[in-house]
Amino acid sequence: MLGSMEQTLLGGRYQVVRRLGSGGFSRTFLVSDLHLPNHPRCVIKQLKVQDKDTGTLDMARRLFDTEARVLYQLGNHPQIPALLAHFEEDQEFYLAQEYIEGSRLNRQVEEGKPWSETRVVLLLQEVLEILSFVHRQQVIHRDIKPSNLIRRHRDGKLVLIDFGAVKQVTSSPLLDAETGATNITVAIGTHGYMPNEQYAGKPRFSSDVYAVGMLGIRALTGLHPQKIDEDPVTSELAWRHHAPETSSALTAVLDKMVRYDFRDRYPTAQEALEALQNLPNPLHGLVGTQIYQTWMRGSQGRGPTFPGDDYDSTLGPTETSEPTAFADDQDSTSLFPVDLAYSNGSTSGALPLVVPDVLEEEFKLPVRLGSLLAVGLLSTFGFGLVIWRSGLTIAFEPSNQTVTIPFQRAGTPSLATDLSMLLPPEEKATYLSRQGDRLWDQGSYPDALDIYNEAVEVQIDYAPAYLGRCKTLISLKRPVEAIAACDDALAYSTYYPEAVRSKGNAEEQQGHLLAALELYESANRLMPAMAEAWLDRGRVLQKLGRSAEALAAIDQAIARDRESAEAWTVRGEAALALKRYDHAIIALEKALQIDPDYGPAQDLRQRARRLLGR
């Protein structure tokens, strides 16, 4: 069967290279896209339909289209594989997704090899940051586990794959492959990472939080979750004695993440992330001395080793997976914290570049800069170099060092400008755009505009720089130029709902309300989870005097973000126009609870009270 598929172009464009995996509901292939220059590789997931009668196919088709739109939306995140295409062929359904080259995390979370608390905290924070985005899009992943996290080769970032949303398409309305029974509500997940409500087919956002907590406990204890017992009285996990050195603060956070009753957990990934970020001294006094180290190639493809590690890996129980993106493990890339160590003064032997998350995030420093920086910087200092700038640390350590002595903070000149000059165009454009974003957040609009313009000069097709330019020009009350910038962003990224929404902001600023409304409606269709576009739509509808429609749009915005004072204020204004005075007062009171100094809400509340004679 595979041989015949290799001779066939899927969707008329994808040439099968090899099969990557298969499961009860899908098969996954590595393919080449023959319609694009250089035939780049991507992943095709073929979704199986067990029963191909007309009713089942129609239902599967509707669900498939819905879930493909969700995945398209999620792929906007840089640490989630992008959905490139979805199509139906010969009554089979196919998803084409970005191919992630990297190493699965289960190659690092090894049986019998506990991680340090610092490593665990940093891992959990990175996973929860991605998951927070997923939850904001109203999506539950349902299968968080080490094999569904890939450490990407090109930048060392974690990538979250294999979304439960895809599995809803293949399982819910169809036949169970083993029993033949129809599954209306199906438990999807992996044993050990799946809480009780998910077993019952009723997953919640906190079900994902549970899985991430189990990931942390597995890393801390070195034990697969299925080997951790439950308390016979409370049904809570009895894991603490397997990691007795864990701080009480982290233990409390993990315990809350994995509570048996979902109502006792953090409700979403964002709350769990905030709890981790608020840990008292979460890195145990090693902030600035615990950093991320990137290896482009690990020993025998295994990734980095740490003092005391051996080369023999014993993995835990097999975790089956149906990947939507697949990582080859031949060349392992890892990004983990290590203690900085003084060098013995020798420059012989391997000197891996040590780069912290702050640097990797802010400057996008590629690992290939290591040798260049080593030559210039080590010759100046003669020992392991430390550069500290607002939490930024760069250091080298000898590969045979066994005793670690933390460096202390050192005051040295900024290297930001020099580093940006060394970056290749696409990474420099990213670096500049993020600098522009920070300036825009601070209200430094002229400076932000200069930075975005520089990013465009560096890489003319970098859509985020054009979007930044558009938003900044709106803030500077230059809507005509802003529209041109948003059009440029859309020319280089055809799926860019944020740019559609910003173009609507520019049209609204000019008083072109109908044109703005059309753009906001388009943004809603492209990204239904974007609360800001629903708020924009409701605000314009209210300006047009269409209060009932405005109320409906604002309710959509509030359902996605209940902490927007502007949304509650517009709701109050619409209710007031519809003479629903009590509803207006309630909405305006809510707006002022969120922001007591929000002027429009204060003014409208006074007006509503006058109308009610209060």
Side-chain angles (χ1 to χ4, degrees):
M1 175 64 180
L2 181 57
S4 63
M5 290 196 68
E6 288 176 341
Q7 305 302 319
T8 304
L9 293 184
L10 298 177
R13 65 185 291 179
Y14 300 107
Q15 178 69 59
V16 175
V17 176
R18 68 175 185 271
R19 180 183 292 182
L20 296 176
S22 62
F25 296 110
S26 70
R27 291 186 298 175
T28 312
F29 302 93
L30 178 65
V31 301
S32 293
D33 188 346
L34 302 187
H35 280 199
L36 293 177
N38 302 321
H39 301 165
R41 291 184 171 187
C42 61
V43 169
I44 289 283
K45 186 165 185 175
Q46 179 189 25
L47 307 176
K48 300 178 184 178
V49 179
Q50 302 293 329
D51 185 352
K52 293 188 177 180
D53 67 75
T54 302
T56 300
L57 279 173
D58 287 344
M59 184 177 295
R61 189 174 292 114
R62 287 195 301 272
L63 289 170
F64 175 70
D65 289 340
T66 299
E67 300 301 348
R69 284 196 294 271
V70 171
L71 289 175
Y72 199 22
Q73 174 180 318
L74 290 172
N76 250 355
H77 193 282
Q79 289 166 270
I80 295 174
L83 179 67
L84 305 176
H86 70 289
F87 57 93
E88 179 182 349
E89 190 171 83
D90 297 329
Q91 297 184 331
E92 300 285 357
F93 302 95
Y94 297 87
L95 295 167
Q97 286 192 280
E98 177 187 2
Y99 176 57
I100 306 299
E101 294 184 278
S103 179
R104 288 181 185 270
L105 191 65
N106 59 349
R107 291 179 62 85
Q108 296 299 329
V109 184
E110 298 178 281
E111 188 78 0
K113 292 188 177 181
W115 285 22
S116 71
E117 184 168 338
T118 300
R119 278 177 81 182
V120 172
V121 170
L122 292 171
L123 171 68
L124 294 178
Q125 287 181 345
E126 189 173 5
V127 176
L128 288 169
E129 284 171 357
I130 306 170
L131 196 57
S132 293
F133 169 81
V134 174
H135 287 179
R136 286 197 298 272
Q137 313 311 308
Q138 305 301 302
V139 173
I140 304 170
H141 185 283
R142 297 197 288 172
D143 202 11
I144 306 290
K145 58 184 177 183
S147 58
N148 280 340
L149 290 159
I150 295 175
R151 188 65 75 179
R152 187 164 51 199
H153 278 206
R154 64 178 171 82
D155 60 4
K157 290 253 183 204
L158 277 181
V159 178
L160 178 60
I161 66 167
D162 201 12
F163 279 79
V166 175
K167 293 183 178 179
Q168 285 181 348
V169 179
T170 61
S171 61
S172 295
L174 309 179
L175 296 181
D176 185 287
E178 296 182 1
T179 67
T182 300
N183 291 305
I184 302 303
T185 302
V186 179
I188 297 173
T190 298
H191 293 300
Y193 296 93
M194 189 163 53
N196 64 304
E197 75 277 0
Q198 195 168 333
Y199 277 108
K202 297 179 180 180
R204 304 169 188 269
F205 292 126
S206 63
S207 306
D208 283 346
V209 173
Y210 179 96
V212 178
M214 291 306 305
L215 173 62
I217 290 172
R218 175 173 182 176
L220 275 174
T221 62
L223 293 174
H224 189 278
Q226 288 179 285
K227 295 185 177 181
I228 298 175
D229 295 328
E230 291 184 356
D231 185 294
V233 177
T234 65
S235 295
E236 303 294 354
L237 291 170
W239 67 273
R240 297 184 186 184
H241 64 283
H242 295 298
E245 302 300 320
T246 305
S247 69
S248 59
L250 178 58
T251 297
V253 171
L254 286 170
D255 277 344
K256 186 167 182 177
M257 292 177 74
V258 298
R259 290 294 182 201
Y260 180 83
D261 191 328
F262 69 86
R263 292 168 295 188
D264 296 332
R265 298 183 213 131
Y266 300 104
T268 69
Q270 184 59 39
E271 284 84 356
L273 176 61
E274 290 171 0
L276 278 172
Q277 292 171 336
N278 291 328
L279 285 177
N281 200 9
L283 300 189
H284 299 287
L286 296 179
V287 177
T289 64
Q290 291 286 342
I291 60 177
Y292 278 112
Q293 180 165 11
T294 303
W295 287 260
M296 286 308 290
R297 294 184 185 276
S299 60
Q300 303 175 356
R302 289 182 62 251
T305 57
F306 294 86
D309 284 354
D310 57 46
Y311 286 97
D312 297 324
S313 299
T314 304
L315 299 180
T318 301
E319 297 173 312
T320 58
S321 179
E322 297 178 28
T324 57
F326 193 84
D328 282 337
D329 285 326
Q330 298 169 354
D331 298 314
S332 179
T333 299
S334 299
L335 197 62
F336 292 113
V338 295
D339 289 317
L340 295 183
Y342 283 109
S343 153
N344 58 13
S346 169
T347 58
S348 63
L351 289 174
L353 174 64
V354 181
V355 185
D357 186 45
V358 173
L359 176 65
E360 192 266 335
E361 177 66 22
E362 184 167 352
F363 299 104
K364 288 292 181 183
L365 179 66
V367 176
R368 58 179 173 273
L369 291 179
S371 58
L372 177 61
L373 288 173
V375 171
L377 298 178
L378 285 178
S379 62
T380 302
F381 291 93
F383 62 93
L385 172 70
V386 172
I387 301 167
W388 188 270
R389 174 185 175 272
S390 300
L392 168 62
T393 306
I394 304 177
F396 293 84
E397 67 174 356
S399 59
N400 60 353
Q401 186 71 36
T402 57
V403 178
T404 60
I405 305 174
F407 277 124
Q408 300 300 315
R409 179 184 296 245
T412 56
S414 166
L415 289 185
T417 303
D418 294 336
L419 289 174
S420 71
M421 293 298 292
L422 294 172
L423 296 175
E426 64 276 9
E427 295 179 9
K428 184 176 180 181
T430 300
Y431 158 70
L432 290 170
S433 290
R434 292 187 176 184
Q435 293 296 95
D437 293 344
R438 292 186 181 95
L439 290 168
W440 185 83
D441 287 338
Q442 296 165 8
S444 302
Y445 302 129
D447 292 337
L449 186 59
D450 288 342
I451 294 293
Y452 290 128
N453 289 340
E454 187 179 349
V456 169
E457 291 175 5
V458 169
Q459 186 180 346
I460 196 166
D461 63 348
Y462 190 60
Y466 288 105
L467 174 60
R469 178 193 274 179
C470 176
K471 291 167 58 180
T472 305
L473 287 166
I474 292 170
S475 299
L476 291 170
K477 302 294 192 291
R478 293 158 60 180
V480 175
E481 296 170 79
I483 288 173
C486 274
D487 283 339
D488 287 335
L490 291 166
Y492 292 116
S493 180
T494 54
Y495 179 81
Y496 211 166
E498 294 90 347
V500 174
R501 181 225 170 191
S502 291
K503 184 177 179 180
N505 292 159
E507 293 284 10
E508 184 181 354
Q509 195 173 74
Q510 294 182 92
H512 302 160
L513 300 185
L514 291 176
L517 179 60
E518 184 177 351
L519 288 163
Y520 296 147
E521 290 171 345
S522 178
N524 293 152
R525 288 191 295 271
L526 289 170
M527 186 179 282
M530 184 163 53
E532 297 85 355
W534 286 105
L535 169 56
D536 293 334
R537 180 176 177 175
R539 184 181 59 248
V540 166
L541 284 166
Q542 182 56 33
K543 288 181 179 179
L544 290 168
R546 295 157 61 176
S547 298
E549 295 172 78
L551 205 58
I554 288 298
D555 284 346
Q556 292 286 343
I558 290 173
R560 291 158 174 80
D561 179 11
R562 297 188 61 82
E563 300 305 313
S564 169
E566 184 183 2
W568 285 104
T569 301
V570 175
R571 193 183 198 288
E573 184 178 2
L576 201 59
L578 294 169
K579 298 183 179 180
R580 302 176 185 175
Y581 300 123
D582 289 339
H583 290 178
I585 290 291
I586 292 170
L588 296 169
E589 291 288 356
K590 177 63 177 178
L592 291 170
Q593 285 178 10
I594 296 168
D595 184 356
D597 299 321
Y598 191 57
Q602 292 175 337
D603 295 341
L604 276 171
R605 184 177 62 177
Q606 289 180 359
R607 179 182 163 197
R609 284 176 171 175
R610 284 197 302 269
L611 289 171
L612 288 171
R614 295 181 182 176

